[in-house]
Amino acid sequence: MTTQIQTVAVVGTGVIGNGWIARFLAHGYDVVATDPAEGAEERMRKAVDHAWPYVEELGLAEGASKDRLTFEKDLSKAVADADFIQENVPEIEELKQTVLQSIDQHAKPDAVIGSSTSGIMPSELQANLQHPERFVVAHPFHPVYILPLVEVVPGKATTKEHVEKAQGFFEGLNMKALLVRHEIEGHIADRLIEAIWRESLHIVNEGIATTEEVDQAFIYGAGQRYAQYGPFLTFHLAGGEGGMRHMLKQFGPALKKPWTKLEAPELTDELYDKVVSGCEQQAGDLSMSELDQNRNEFLVRLLDLVKEYWPEDQKKEKV
Amino acid sequence: MTTQIQTVAVVGTGVIGNGWIARFLAHGYDVVATDPAEGAEERMRKAVDHAWPYVEELGLAEGASKDRLTFEKDLSKAVADADFIQENVPEIEELKQTVLQSIDQHAKPDAVIGSSTSGIMPSELQANLQHPERFVVAHPFHPVYILPLVEVVPGKATTKEHVEKAQGFFEGLNMKALLVRHEIEGHIADRLIEAIWRESLHIVNEGIATTEEVDQAFIYGAGQRYAQYGPFLTFHLAGGEGGMRHMLKQFGPALKKPWTKLEAPELTDELYDKVVSGCEQQAGDLSMSELDQNRNEFLVRLLDLVKEYWPEDQKKEKV
């Protein structure tokens, strides 16, 4: 399987699909996108225009151009010549399986197929494909054109060579292609995000704090650290010279304390309204695009800063 | 209660207590520290020396000096002249109550007493004090001399004027003094951190991923965002134009899916070893102080960067 990836197809052009498109274009690929929704092409081109200044600041590959993006209503035509196909349709298992079967049917047999699913396991999604060996979950993070992580999750039928081709492709997009070696609902990252999310909903649901207070309690302390070190190395460092060994002695007992809730709250209308109005209040006079621009300008600079300090790169430098 | 805070006492000089000392000194206070442990003064002075370059980079107040730190073995003498006293003894409720009673007994009656407790509720800690009205939980984040958050949690007996005095004092230390309006175990931030931590332990415990993989799955995606926006505004933005309203429709159903575990795992010897050795492996050849320096250099620069982008400051600019 020596095919070089030259053309990429994107199936489903929502927030995630459009983020992928900007990233693929910025790295010099020809991109064919498809989506059955009314007005999808216009929204897609707007989204790519919006992302473009940020991908330019991060650095364009030679020959990278927005002109290399085409929209093709017919899925079968859109995927026909692609070497890599990324599926980003809504998170409904039946829908994803139907779309993936049609991609599998019309794509070149050795084209790699990735799915952006947040939580569905690859073995379930590849179950009914003619060529399941070339299917992987490739789960990115919003905004996809800035954030480096993609979780690459092979299913039972996925072959090693296709996993490696996918990983190599994503690394070529300047991404951190994390191989998730065991299938699990939510993969890895979304399990942690979901845990934060459920606990945050409990706190708001019980009237302990507003959404803004919960966000402040996170970003001004823990959040500052998590751009660089994860939950484990953070505690390892908090333990002083004793590291994690000391931390587990000191905070191990907290595992038995009611420091977090363990069921998800009912998403009642009341909770729904608390959360929605809380966020709208937080946004204040800022429009969604002002908030979005503010986040992006920050992330581009943060990314440039944090790169110098990632622990594994420090290790490499030391070796 | 018009007393200006001039002298601060720090009771308990572990990682957190020493972090407070560096922050108090950097903002021009006289600091008296006490700790019964053998060699505590030497460790304290080392810790302050270690922190000093970072607090210098963040900016020293006029007259700020390490020479304004004294160590006093006798707790009753250490707290006698203090206008503000911060308690940082180990997270054992009985021990904290005993120490707080002795602080309460020897301190000036209008001195404010703060406790760094990670999870104990203030009403329990103030229950046996002669002057409970001046006690608050004041929970900071490691490294205390860099990170801005302090959760200020009043107990049932705490008066408004003492809460405001504490908040004003912390804001004068260039901190985000978040008032936690309702008592709850773990306050707010540690409930979110504990949720991430428990889920991370489950993933490692079940052999899904190593500690390093879990950390990578967090820092290269979600963690990059959490330095700026918390769980709510992050989802609000991920929803595109529809914001949180759209997100709850799209991801509300995930609350019913097994995307996170809901009990803490048994902290077995096997799990203990997996976590400890996993972290030591992550650290590689880097010493604890190299890791620590790397984190601090990063956080100082990150803090400077992220300040320009904090949502509430953006709102202020707009108004």
Side-chain angles (χ1 to χ4, degrees):
Chain A
M1 193 182 62
T2 54
T3 323
Q4 265 300 338
I5 292 171
Q6 286 165 337
T7 299
V8 180
V10 172
V11 178
T13 58
V15 170
I16 294 299
N18 289 334
W20 274 121
I21 289 168
R23 191 162 203 121
F24 294 144
L25 290 171
H27 286 81
Y29 289 98
D30 294 308
V31 179
V32 183
T34 186
D35 192 301
E38 202 48 60
E41 178 171 8
E42 190 191 350
R43 283 194 300 277
M44 172 193 77
R45 298 208 180 265
K46 262 189 168 164
V48 172
D49 288 340
H50 171 73
W52 208 251
Y54 304 110
V55 296
E56 276 183 326
E57 195 165 343
L58 290 168
L60 295 180
E62 201 180 334
S65 167
K66 289 190 283 183
D67 301 339
R68 295 172 64 180
L69 170 61
T70 57
F71 188 86
E72 168 55 62
K73 264 243 174 269
D74 182 341
L75 184 145
S76 63
K77 290 185 192 149
V79 303
D81 302 324
D83 307 304
F84 188 97
I85 299 144
Q86 184 72 26
E87 169 275 312
N88 323 277
V89 302
E91 194 72 8
I92 301 157
E93 184 160 352
E94 302 63 32
L95 173 63
K96 279 189 183 285
Q97 282 180 331
T98 308
V99 170
L100 284 166
Q101 282 172 54
S102 137
I103 292 170
D104 180 50
Q105 185 189 336
H106 298 287
K108 296 188 289 189
D110 69 346
V112 179
I113 303 174
S115 170
S116 297
T117 179
S118 305
I120 306 168
M121 296 199 281
S123 292
E124 294 173 18
L125 292 176
Q126 75 189 163
N128 305 318
L129 303 187
Q130 291 166 10
H131 298 286
E133 70 283 353
R134 43 73 171 270
F135 174 84
V136 294
V137 161
H139 177 233
F141 294 80
H142 175 66
V144 180
Y145 49 92
I146 297 176
L147 290 179
L149 181 64
V150 55
E151 292 180 301
V152 177
V153 196
K156 292 184 182 65
T158 312
T159 57
K160 193 164 177 296
E161 70 177 335
H162 288 92
V163 173
E164 286 166 357
K165 189 171 184 181
Q167 280 189 288
F169 173 60
F170 291 126
E171 282 159 8
L173 297 172
N174 197 25
M175 298 183 88
K176 302 272 182 180
L178 177 66
L179 178 63
V180 178
R181 296 170 291 109
H182 302 282
E183 294 184 79
I184 184 171
E185 292 91 348
H187 321 315
I188 298 171
D190 277 1
R191 296 184 72 85
L192 305 186
I193 293 167
E194 184 72 14
I196 302 168
W197 174 234
R198 292 185 187 189
E199 185 61 30
S200 300
L201 287 173
H202 279 297
I203 291 168
V204 170
N205 194 39
E206 294 178 6
I208 300 296
T210 64
T211 58
E212 184 159 26
E213 288 165 340
V214 170
D215 277 1
Q216 288 176 346
F218 201 56
I219 65 180
Y220 298 133
Q224 300 273 317
R225 301 183 299 209
Y226 285 135
Q228 182 193 28
Y229 290 144
F232 287 105
L233 213 52
T234 296
F235 276 8
H236 191 47
L237 282 160
E241 280 302 318
M244 180 61 78
R245 210 172 286 279
H246 174 72
M247 279 307 281
L248 287 178
K249 284 205 182 68
Q250 187 165 12
F251 281 100
L255 288 171
K256 296 279 162 246
K257 293 180 184 171
W259 276 19
T260 171
K261 284 267 183 182
L262 299 175
E263 303 89 31
E266 281 303 315
L267 190 56
T268 59
D269 294 350
E270 193 190 346
L271 176 55
Y272 178 93
D273 290 334
K274 268 189 190 173
V275 172
V276 169
S277 61
C279 287
E280 287 169 348
Q281 202 178 329
Q282 277 171 259
D285 293 341
L286 294 175
S287 70
M288 198 57 73
S289 84
E290 283 174 309
L291 285 166
D292 184 273
Q293 184 187 352
N294 180 41
R295 180 205 58 209
N296 285 351
E297 286 175 6
F298 166 71
L299 282 178
V300 169
R301 293 177 60 186
L302 174 62
L303 199 53
D304 192 48
L305 168 63
V306 70
K307 264 196 216 124
E308 302 169 41
Y309 294 94
W310 275 330
E312 70 190 21
D313 300 333
Q314 295 285 319
K315 267 195 289 184
K316 289 199 199 95
E317 278 170 34
K318 179 128 183 180
V319 172
Chain B
M1 193 185 59
T2 55
T3 323
Q4 265 300 338
I5 291 170
Q6 285 164 338
T7 299
V8 180
V10 172
V11 178
T13 57
V15 169
I16 295 299
N18 289 334
W20 275 120
I21 289 169
R23 191 163 203 123
F24 294 144
L25 289 171
H27 286 80
Y29 289 97
D30 294 308
V31 178
V32 184
T34 187
D35 193 301
E38 201 49 59
E41 177 170 9
E42 189 191 351
R43 285 194 299 278
M44 172 192 77
R45 299 211 179 263
K46 262 189 167 163
V48 171
D49 289 340
H50 172 74
W52 208 251
Y54 306 109
V55 296
E56 276 182 326
E57 196 166 342
L58 290 169
L60 294 181
E62 201 180 334
S65 167
K66 289 190 282 184
D67 302 340
R68 293 172 64 180
L69 170 60
T70 57
F71 188 85
E72 167 56 64
K73 265 241 172 268
D74 180 342
L75 183 145
S76 63
K77 289 184 192 151
V79 303
D81 303 324
D83 307 303
F84 188 97
I85 300 144
Q86 184 71 24
E87 169 276 312
N88 323 276
V89 301
E91 194 74 6
I92 302 157
E93 184 159 351
E94 302 62 33
L95 173 62
K96 281 191 182 283
Q97 282 180 330
T98 308
V99 170
L100 285 166
Q101 281 172 56
S102 132
I103 292 170
D104 181 50
Q105 185 188 338
H106 298 288
K108 296 189 287 185
D110 69 347
V112 178
I113 303 174
S115 171
S116 295
T117 178
S118 304
I120 306 168
M121 297 200 280
S123 293
E124 293 172 19
L125 292 176
Q126 76 188 163
N128 305 316
L129 304 186
Q130 291 166 9
H131 298 286
E133 70 283 353
R134 43 75 169 267
F135 174 84
V136 294
V137 162
H139 177 233
F141 294 80
H142 175 64
V144 180
Y145 50 92
I146 297 177
L147 289 179
L149 181 64
V150 55
E151 293 179 300
V152 177
V153 197
K156 293 185 181 66
T158 311
T159 59
K160 193 162 176 294
E161 70 177 335
H162 287 93
V163 173
E164 286 167 357
K165 188 171 185 180
Q167 280 189 288
F169 173 59
F170 291 126
E171 283 161 6
L173 297 172
N174 198 24
M175 298 183 89
K176 302 273 183 179
L178 177 66
L179 178 63
V180 178
R181 296 170 292 108
H182 302 280
E183 294 184 81
I184 185 170
E185 293 90 348
H187 321 316
I188 299 171
D190 277 1
R191 295 184 71 86
L192 305 186
I193 292 167
E194 185 71 14
I196 302 167
W197 174 234
R198 292 184 187 189
E199 185 61 29
S200 300
L201 287 174
H202 278 298
I203 290 167
V204 170
N205 193 39
E206 293 176 7
I208 300 297
T210 64
T211 59
E212 185 160 25
E213 288 165 341
V214 169
D215 277 2
Q216 288 176 349
F218 202 55
I219 64 180
Y220 298 133
Q224 300 272 319
R225 300 183 299 209
Y226 285 135
Q228 183 194 25
Y229 289 145
F232 287 105
L233 213 52
T234 297
F235 276 8
H236 191 47
L237 284 160
E241 280 302 317
M244 180 61 77
R245 209 173 286 279
H246 175 73
M247 279 306 282
L248 287 179
K249 285 206 180 67
Q250 186 163 13
F251 282 100
L255 289 172
K256 297 279 163 247
K257 292 180 184 171
W259 277 18
T260 171
K261 285 266 182 177
L262 299 174
E263 303 87 32
E266 280 303 315
L267 189 57
T268 59
D269 294 350
E270 194 190 344
L271 175 56
Y272 178 91
D273 289 335
K274 268 190 189 172
V275 172
V276 169
S277 61
C279 287
E280 286 168 349
Q281 203 179 328
Q282 278 173 256
D285 294 342
L286 294 175
S287 70
M288 196 58 69
S289 84
E290 283 174 310
L291 286 166
D292 184 274
Q293 184 186 351
N294 180 42
R295 178 204 61 208
N296 285 353
E297 287 175 8
F298 165 72
L299 282 178
V300 169
R301 293 178 61 187
L302 173 63
L303 199 52
D304 191 49
L305 169 62
V306 70
K307 263 196 217 120
E308 303 170 41
Y309 295 92
W310 275 330
E312 70 191 21
D313 300 332
Q314 295 284 318
K315 265 196 289 185
K316 288 200 200 95
E317 278 170 33
K318 178 126 183 181
V319 172

